[in-house]
Amino acid sequence: MFAYTDPTGSDFLKLQNALEIYRTDIDRFYKRSAFRLNSAFTLLEAFEGLTNETGLQAETINWIAFPKLANRPFEAIDSDRFNLQDEYVEWQTEIQDGKVTRVTFTTEFPEYYEALAQVSVDALIAGIQDTIPEANPTLEELFGLGFDPLSASPRRRAEQFRRQLQQNPWNNGQKGILCLTQTNNTVAALFGLVEPCSISRFDIPASAICGQTACVPGRNSDPAICQASQNLARSDRGLSLEDPVGIKMSRLEGIWKINGQEIDINNPNENQGAWVISRNGRRAVLDVTKGVTIENTTITTGAQVAAQLTVGASVIAAPESVLPDWAATGEESSRLIGQV
């Protein structure tokens, strides 16, 4: 099995004895997608030992975090996260005395916390507190009324934690936000998008592939991911989602000011701590109390910020000619692929 790394870029999972559990869970998605017939998607092991000189390339597929299909007022998008925030980005908007004070974004998948839950309740709580330092969750908040996590099996504990995420106040916005929870924002959906979009289709334009598979053409994310995957496949390249798999926040677009003074919001040396990206790009906080404005406009919703936020998923690729024979398109049923 590939040595998948902690998506937060830290050793936290390892220190909690959860890294191997996380690796096993993530490996299932890679293996499933690598068996897709005629897909250029392959396992990460295929790229080991390759360099830029031998054709290895990493590509980040970018899109805007704003939910393009929501077609609702910004305030409604803020308040209806679990239905409307569907671009692999979700956020919590904090309001005090009628004014927005802070917007917190997350792109973390629940699998991270599920791995911790399989270790123990204490490991899960430690993980939540690593993300939200002030958190002091109760068992009922994390697992719901009537469920005993201490006597449950590791798998059942993790499943119940995930099942409870919309009711968990440390995730649903009452006390905080932890990880992606909207139905479409799953790691399974990400793999389920790249995998079929990596099947070469020369009968239609690459831009039209999205409408022919498990891809929603009207979204910001799906068409971008699908077309990029299709273009790589058409150029006879094997590809995979780069480790650590996930969505990273990269930058805010637009003209930003603090107390009327224009600043580079993405530069920590200029932004006075108003915009902080952490957890390897999986979490970001905009502190509006520092006098932040966008395009000379007061920030009244998180959706305003999402409309300026660029996020992305990274893929790794290389010419099939330099990949192992088992990694070639058409070799999905090879016994070797199951032995990697």
Side-chain angles (χ1 to χ4, degrees), residues 6-8 81 88-90 105-113 116 127 130-131 165 171 177-181 185-187 245-249 278-283:
D6 188 317
T8 66
R81 167 187 162 199
Y88 295 101
V89 188
E90 296 173 28
F105 294 88
T106 184
T107 62
E108 283 196 73
F109 290 121
E111 280 74 11
Y112 179 88
Y113 299 96
L116 291 166
D130 187 57
T131 305
L165 278 172
N171 181 60
I177 182 171
L178 195 61
C179 59
L180 296 175
T181 309
N185 296 337
T186 67
V187 67
V245 63
I247 313 300
K248 295 181 70 171
M249 288 172 268
S278 61
R279 299 182 68 78
N280 199 24
R282 270 73 174 171
R283 194 172 183 86

Side-chain angles (χ1 to χ4, degrees), residues 70-82:
N71 196 27
R72 298 287 301 281
F74 281 4
E75 292 81 3
I77 296 172
D78 273 15
S79 63
D80 198 3
R81 167 187 162 199
F82 297 137

Side-chain angles (χ1 to χ4, degrees), residues 183-195:
T183 305
N184 298 316
N185 296 337
T186 67
V187 67
L190 181 60
F191 277 91
L193 182 60
V194 176
E195 167 198 321

